[in-house]
């Protein structure tokens, strides 16, 4: 005899639109609690395909279905089963339909799915040489093209978190760093966004990509025109730099530091930027590039105005490396 949950899942495929709508709303509400998620675990093989079919229907049905899937995907075991069922392809196909009006929820679903290695592999399309990287390219293009003209209306904002997730894996970093695709350059340019989520996601993605500095420094420096400002402006403080300092910097840095500006107010972004700089200057060519833009001077000024202990520690880590590796008698205010 069918349980109440099995009956409810059966109603998700009912021919009657009102019954289907009522069932998906009840199911969505069920996934909103920890107890509900626990109870639903053993029914995922029945529920997930039914919910996925509803994603292509009218918003009154597709929206609660997507919300239910987002809730379910927060449970790693359930997310893993979704990946096995091919949910990444299903979601990406629906996301890029012209009439899709649940884009933000679908992107949030991919965020949860890519917290798993299997989810990342599925999104990267590893194992399919012809299609490899296509999903990521589409998401990056949408991330960079979409804008929040109306407050709260930024359907691809959460792609920032997907990029952080995939760049935690070597295969993801290599894809983002491929010069022919030009993905990193597009992503970095979003660092100027007023959205904290976008900004933090871009910063985290850059930091992760810098773990490839030993083997891919040249590809990282190919986008130095955008890379250095994204890494140095958050940690430069709000002081107006004098002409003697800015004359030794590239225009994109010198002009930004010659005017009044607000200091970065997110310690996490500052630490990520300094971690990325550290990974770059670990390499000899990275250190040369950093000295050539007067980077150490920016760190010195930024450190003098910093009060957050975690950010100061990150400053000191980079400063110690620069002093030690160059064997120069430099101002030791950046050293531990």
């Amino acid at each position: 005899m069918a349980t109440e949950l099995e009956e409810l899942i059966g109603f998700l495929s009912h021919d009657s639109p009102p019954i289907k709508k009522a069932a998906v709303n009840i199911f969505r509400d069920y996934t909103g609690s920890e107890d509900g998620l626990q109870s639903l675990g053993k029914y995922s093989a029945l529920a997930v395909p039914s919910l996925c079919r509803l994603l292509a229907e009218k918003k009154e049905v597709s929206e609660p279905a997507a919300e239910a899937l987002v809730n379910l995907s927060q449970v790693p075991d359930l997310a893993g089963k979704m990946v096995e069922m091919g949910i990444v392809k299903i979601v990406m196909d629906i996301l890029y339909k012209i009439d899709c009006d649940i884009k933000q929820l679908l992107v949030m679903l991919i965020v949860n799915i890519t917290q798993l290695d299997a989810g990342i592999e599925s999104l990267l399309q590893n194992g399919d040489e012809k299609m490899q990287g296509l999903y990521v390219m589409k998401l990056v293009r949408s991330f960079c093209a979409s804008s929040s003209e109306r407050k709260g209306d930024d359907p691809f904002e959460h792609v920032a978190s997907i990029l952080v997730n995939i760049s935690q894996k070597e295969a993801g970093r290599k894809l983002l760093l491929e010069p022919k695709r030009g993905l990193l350059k597009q992503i970095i340019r979003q660092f100027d966004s007023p959205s904290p989520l976008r900004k933090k996601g871009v910063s985290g993605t850059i930091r992760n990509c810098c773990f490839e500095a030993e083997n891919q420094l040249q590809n990282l420096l190919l986008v130095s025109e955008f890379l250095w400002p994204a890494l140095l402006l958050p940690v430069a403080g709000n002081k107006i730099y004098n002409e003697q300092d800015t004359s030794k910097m590239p225009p994109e840095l010198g002009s930004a530091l010659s005017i009044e500006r607000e200091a970065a107010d997110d310690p996490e972004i500052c630490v990520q930027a300094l971690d990325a700089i550290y990974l770059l200057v670990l390499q000899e060519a990275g250190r040369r590039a950093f000295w050539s833009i007067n980077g150490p001077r920016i760190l010195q000024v930024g450190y003098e105005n910093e009060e957050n202990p975690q950010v100061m520690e990150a400053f000191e880590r980079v400063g110690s490396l620069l002093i030690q590796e160059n064997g120069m008698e430099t101002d030791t205010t950046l050293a531990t």
Side-chain angles (χ1 to χ4, degrees):
M1 192 172 175
T3 65
E4 285 184 14
L5 274 175
E6 285 174 322
E7 287 183 356
L8 178 62
I9 292 168
F11 286 134
L12 295 176
S13 304
H14 203 280
D15 290 336
S16 166
I19 292 176
K20 191 189 299 182
K21 180 184 172 184
V24 73
N25 277 296
I26 294 169
F27 192 91
R28 183 268 317 278
D29 293 343
Y30 212 84
T31 64
S33 72
E34 208 167 308
D35 290 342
L37 286 172
Q38 212 165 12
S39 303
L40 288 167
K42 59 182 177 181
Y43 298 106
S44 59
L46 287 172
V48 171
S50 297
L51 290 168
C52 285
R53 282 192 291 272
L54 298 180
L55 294 177
E57 298 207 8
K58 291 180 180 178
K59 190 177 181 180
E60 62 182 17
V61 170
S62 64
E63 187 171 61
E67 288 169 344
L69 286 166
V70 169
N71 291 341
L72 289 169
S73 65
Q74 293 176 62
V75 181
D77 286 348
L78 296 181
K81 289 174 184 175
M82 290 182 187
V83 174
E84 290 171 8
M85 294 176 195
I87 198 163
V88 170
K89 183 182 186 310
I90 294 168
V91 168
M92 289 298 295
D93 287 348
I94 294 170
L95 181 61
Y96 285 96
K97 284 187 175 177
I98 296 172
D99 58 349
C100 178
D101 48 14
I102 52 168
K103 289 184 173 74
Q104 188 167 48
L105 285 167
L106 295 181
V107 172
M108 289 169 70
L109 177 54
I110 300 173
V111 172
N112 289 348
I113 293 294
T114 53
Q115 290 185 40
L116 301 179
D117 288 354
I120 293 173
E121 196 165 318
S122 183
L123 186 68
L124 294 177
Q125 297 165 286
N126 287 343
D128 187 339
E129 286 186 19
K130 289 183 180 178
M131 303 296 286
Q132 192 169 17
L134 181 62
Y135 288 160
V136 174
M137 288 179 71
K138 280 185 168 185
L139 288 170
V140 170
R141 185 170 64 239
S142 299
F143 178 62
C144 297
S146 68
S147 61
S148 51
E149 293 173 5
R150 297 184 299 276
K151 194 172 181 182
D153 183 28
D154 188 359
F156 288 95
E157 181 181 41
H158 290 274
V159 170
S161 301
I162 296 172
L163 295 171
V164 172
N165 290 346
I166 66 170
S167 62
Q168 288 175 0
K169 296 296 174 184
E170 185 181 3
R173 295 193 292 269
K174 285 185 174 179
L175 175 66
L176 296 179
L177 284 167
E178 281 183 28
K180 287 182 181 178
R181 296 184 192 262
L183 297 177
L184 185 61
K185 180 179 177 180
Q186 295 176 58
I187 293 164
I188 293 175
R189 295 174 78 170
Q190 286 297 304
F191 190 74
D192 292 333
S193 169
S195 160
L197 178 58
R198 281 176 173 264
K199 216 174 182 73
K200 193 172 289 188
V202 171
S203 176
T205 302
I206 295 171
R207 173 190 173 274
N208 290 345
C209 285
C210 286
F211 277 98
E212 295 297 315
E214 185 176 358
N215 300 312
Q216 298 222 44
L217 183 64
Q218 197 56 43
N219 289 339
L220 284 159
L221 294 180
L222 277 174
V223 294
S224 59
E225 178 186 351
F226 306 99
L227 180 65
W228 291 128
L231 295 180
L232 284 166
L233 292 180
V235 298
N238 59 359
K239 173 186 173 180
I240 297 177
Y241 286 61
N242 60 43
E243 191 176 343
Q244 185 180 353
D245 289 334
T246 58
S247 64
K248 300 172 187 173
M249 300 174 189
E252 60 271 14
L253 269 176
S255 57
L257 295 176
S258 300
I259 57 175
E260 284 189 24
R261 63 200 178 282
E262 289 184 13
D265 58 358
D266 190 328
E268 187 179 345
I269 287 178
C270 293
V271 170
Q272 288 174 339
L274 290 162
D275 284 349
I277 292 168
Y278 179 84
L279 292 165
L280 291 170
V281 300
L282 270 174
Q283 311 305 316
E284 185 181 348
R287 287 193 298 279
R288 286 200 305 269
F290 193 64
W291 280 95
S292 74
I293 60 163
N294 209 11
R297 174 59 180 160
I298 297 174
L299 294 190
Q300 182 186 34
V301 174
Y303 180 79
E304 289 169 356
N305 294 282
E306 186 55 59
E307 296 179 355
N308 183 284
Q310 285 78 30
V311 179
M312 290 176 74
E313 186 180 337
F315 265 115
E316 290 161 4
R317 190 159 54 245
V318 182
S320 295
L321 179 64
L322 289 171
I323 293 166
Q324 171 193 339
E325 292 295 331
N326 284 277
M328 297 177 69
E329 289 191 8
T330 311
D331 187 329
T332 56
T333 53
L334 280 175
T336 50

